[in-house]
Amino acid sequence: MQARAEIEQHEDQILAPYALRSRDSRGRAFPSDEHAYRTCFQRDRDRVLHTTAFRRLEYKTQVFIFAEGDYYRTRLTHTLEVAQIGRTIARALGANEDLVEAICLAHDLGHPPFGHAGESALADLMAEHGGFNHNRHSVRIVTHLERRFPEFPGLNLTWEVREGMVKHETEYDVADASDYEPEKRAGLEAQICNAADELAYSAHDLDDGLRSGLISAPQLAGVALWDDLVSDLGIPASPLEDLARHRLIRRLINLQVTDLLATTSKAIADSCLASADDVQRLDHNLVAFSPPLAEKNRQLKTFLFHNLYQHYRVYRMQVKAERIVSDLFTAYASKPEVLPGEVRDRTPQEGLHRTISDYIAGMTDRFALQEHGRLFDPLILP
C-alpha cells in the first residue's frame, strides 16, 4: 500500500514544474490531520462527492428539465463530463489531476433549479438582499451550508479548491475573487476546469439539441465547425442517424481538446514557468483555444443561442421556471410560517431572505414543481 507521503513523492516525478503539488497546499480553514493514504485534494474530491448538493444535481436543469425525458444531460451528467474532460487535459499537461477533478465536481454545486432561468429569477429577487450568484453560492455550500462535521461548518476544503471555485469563469460565469487574492489569475488547474466546462456544454448542448429535434443537421449547414466535422467524417448532413451524431460529437470533443492542448502547451513553453505561482502572476490565461478554433466556437455558440436556447419550447419553460421561483420566494417571504421548521429556524442567523434563497437554490426541478403545487394548487395536499 502506498502511503500519502509516497503518493506526494510520486507527484514530483509525474507533475510538471508549474503544477501544484498536494504537499504545497495552503491547507484548510480549520486544522485537520492528514489522511494515511489520500492526498488533500483526493479528500476534497471525495467530500464533494458525498454532499447532498452534489446528489441533487441529478434533477437540476442543464437545458431540458427532467420531465422532458431521461436521455438529456442534467447538471449532474454535465458535471461528470466536465470532470472527465478536465482530467484528460490535466494529465496531458502534467497538471494535478486530483485538484482539477475536485474543482470540476464542485463548480456547479450552487446552481438553483431550472438552470440559468432559475438563477436569473433568484438574482432579481435577491437584488436588494445581497444578491445571488451560483458561483458564490457554490462556495457558500462548501464553506457554510453543508453540515458533515461536528467541529466546523461546510466541508473544510483546501484553499486551492475554494480558490478554483471562486475564480471559475466562463462566458456565463463571472468570478468574484475578492477574498482569494483577486490580483492573481486562477491557477492552471482552475483554468483547465474553466475550459473543460465551456467545451463540455457546447458539445453536449449541441448533442441534446439534435437528439430532441429542436435543431436539425440542415440548420447547421454554414456553421464552420459543423461543416468541418461533417466533411472530415464523410457523413451526409441529412438524415442524421444516432450513430452518426455520436461520431460527430466525439470528433468535436476530440478536436477541441487536441487544439486546446497544442495551444496551451505552446503558451506554457513560451512563458518559461518554474512554479505554480508563476502561472497565477501572468497577465493572461494559459489554457485557451487557438484563435481560429476560438472563432469557430464563437460561431457555434451563437447558433446554439439563437436556435436552441431561444427556441420557443425552451423559452416557454424558462418563463414558467422564473414564475415558479418567483411564486415560491414571494410566498415564503410574505408568510414565513409556510417554510419547514428546520428552514425557518435558520432565519435569526441568516436573515429571512437569505434563508429563502438558500432553500430555493437547494431545490431540484422536481421538488420545486411539487412545492409550487403544494402551495398554490388546492387539490394537492400541503
Side-chain angles (χ1 to χ4, degrees), residues 339-350:
L339 284 166
E342 68 275 13
V343 176
R344 194 167 61 248
D345 289 345
R346 298 202 296 267
T347 58
Q349 294 77 34
E350 309 291 350

Side-chain angles (χ1 to χ4, degrees), residues 190-256:
Q191 290 183 35
I192 289 171
C193 175
N194 295 344
D197 186 23
E198 291 212 32
L199 192 160
Y201 70 65
S202 291
H204 64 50
D205 287 357
L206 174 62
D207 189 20
D208 282 351
L210 288 166
R211 182 196 288 268
S212 70
L214 297 190
I215 57 177
S216 64
Q219 283 181 276
L220 283 154
V223 177
L225 193 50
W226 176 262
D227 290 344
D228 290 346
L229 296 170
V230 170
S231 176
D232 289 346
L233 294 175
I235 292 176
S238 181
L240 186 65
E241 303 292 338
D242 283 349
L243 286 177
R245 189 185 75 251
H246 293 322
R247 291 179 64 199
L248 286 163
I249 298 303
R250 283 200 303 272
R251 178 61 66 92
L252 172 61
I253 294 172
N254 185 72
L255 182 154
Q256 291 183 311

Side-chain angles (χ1 to χ4, degrees), residues 260-299:
L260 184 83
L261 288 173
T263 306
T264 303
S265 295
K266 184 179 184 305
I268 289 171
D270 291 344
S271 299
C272 301
L273 304 168
S275 69
D277 191 60
D278 288 348
V279 174
Q280 295 192 265
R281 295 191 180 280
L282 292 173
D283 61 359
H284 60 281
N285 285 336
L286 288 171
V287 182
F289 296 109
S290 65
L293 186 60
E295 177 56 35
K296 290 180 180 180
N297 274 334
R298 162 54 35 222
Q299 188 184 13

Side-chain angles (χ1 to χ4, degrees), residues 76-330:
L76 177 62
T77 56
H78 162 70
T79 296
L80 295 175
E81 291 181 23
V82 172
Q84 176 264 320
I85 293 170
R87 288 201 67 132
T88 297
I89 296 170
R91 181 171 297 187
L93 292 176
N96 192 312
E97 288 183 58
D98 294 325
L99 176 55
V100 169
E101 186 177 26
I103 298 171
C104 287
L105 292 177
H107 85 280
D108 265 357
L109 290 178
H111 261 291
F114 310 119
H116 291 286
E119 177 169 12
S120 176
L122 262 187
D124 289 343
L125 292 161
M126 288 293 292
E128 297 181 3
H129 309 287
F132 179 86
N133 171 278
H134 85 262
N135 255 12
R136 290 198 298 271
H137 193 66
S138 294
V139 178
R140 179 171 167 79
I141 286 171
V142 302
T143 59
H144 183 69
L145 294 179
E146 281 282 342
R147 297 299 174 118
R148 297 277 159 176
F149 302 92
E151 305 92 340
F152 47 76
L155 305 180
N156 199 25
L157 302 181
T158 58
W159 162 276
E160 290 75 21
V161 173
R162 287 180 282 123
E163 182 194 31
M165 295 172 65
V166 166
K167 293 182 178 178
H168 181 68
E169 53 185 1
T170 66
E171 186 173 350
Y172 301 103
D173 301 305
V174 180
D176 176 12
S178 53
D179 296 326
Y180 290 83
E181 298 181 338
E183 72 281 2
K184 291 184 178 180
R185 308 197 75 77
L188 182 70
E189 286 79 6
Q191 290 183 35
I192 289 171
C193 175
N194 295 344
D197 186 23
E198 291 212 32
L199 192 160
Y201 70 65
S202 291
H204 64 50
D205 287 357
L206 174 62
D207 189 20
D208 282 351
L210 288 166
R211 182 196 288 268
S212 70
L214 297 190
I215 57 177
S216 64
Q219 283 181 276
L220 283 154
V223 177
L225 193 50
W226 176 262
D227 290 344
D228 290 346
L229 296 170
V230 170
S231 176
D232 289 346
L233 294 175
I235 292 176
S238 181
L240 186 65
E241 303 292 338
D242 283 349
L243 286 177
R245 189 185 75 251
H246 293 322
R247 291 179 64 199
L248 286 163
I249 298 303
R250 283 200 303 272
R251 178 61 66 92
L252 172 61
I253 294 172
N254 185 72
L255 182 154
Q256 291 183 311
V257 171
T258 301
D259 179 272
L260 184 83
L261 288 173
T263 306
T264 303
S265 295
K266 184 179 184 305
I268 289 171
D270 291 344
S271 299
C272 301
L273 304 168
S275 69
D277 191 60
D278 288 348
V279 174
Q280 295 192 265
R281 295 191 180 280
L282 292 173
D283 61 359
H284 60 281
N285 285 336
L286 288 171
V287 182
F289 296 109
S290 65
L293 186 60
E295 177 56 35
K296 290 180 180 180
N297 274 334
R298 162 54 35 222
Q299 188 184 13
L300 176 60
K301 288 177 182 178
T302 299
F303 172 86
L304 291 173
F305 178 79
H306 290 296
N307 295 278
L308 179 60
Y309 307 143
Q310 290 196 324
H311 190 283
Y312 79 91
R313 278 177 54 193
V314 174
Y315 195 74
R316 281 179 178 178
M317 191 59 236
Q318 291 174 348
V319 171
K320 286 194 284 186
E322 290 174 358
R323 177 169 295 178
I324 290 167
V325 171
S326 180
D327 286 348
L328 291 175
F329 190 98
T330 302

